[in-house]
Amino acid sequence: MNMMFEMMNMPVVTSQYWNIAYGAGKGEVKLDTEGMQTMRTLATNMAFLLQKIHADGHPAPQRDERPAFMNFIR
């Protein structure tokens, strides 16, 4: 699923497991301790990346060359 983000040179923030928490009814997701821990880790990592990106004020890197596409049918 991350392939599309990676193809567009976007940073991908990771966590400790799949970024999902489960619950069937209202408020039940808060009882998923592993899922909630995963979300907290994801939020911490997102905040860290955003702080680093905005801290130095440098613009995002620019592509120096056009993408080369491969045609697998020859």
Side-chain angles (χ1 to χ4, degrees):
M1 295 179 95
N2 288 336
M3 183 176 142
M4 297 302 174
F5 297 113
E6 294 165 353
M7 287 173 57
M8 297 294 122
N9 294 316
M10 295 178 67
V12 177
V13 179
T14 60
S15 187
Q16 62 195 33
Y17 197 60
W18 291 359
N19 301 329
I20 193 166
Y22 294 98
K26 185 176 181 178
E28 285 185 9
V29 73
K30 293 179 182 177
L31 301 175
D32 181 0
T33 55
E34 181 185 17
M36 295 306 293
Q37 183 182 45
T38 300
M39 294 302 148
R40 285 191 300 274
T41 302
L42 178 63
T44 301
N45 292 346
M46 281 184 177
F48 174 80
L49 180 62
L50 288 171
Q51 288 172 350
K52 293 299 179 183
I53 288 173
H54 293 290
D56 57 10
H58 292 288
Q62 300 297 314
R63 276 186 147 159
D64 293 338
E65 58 183 293
R66 294 177 59 166
F69 298 104
M70 174 67 181
N71 184 353
F72 292 97
I73 301 172
R74 298 192 183 237

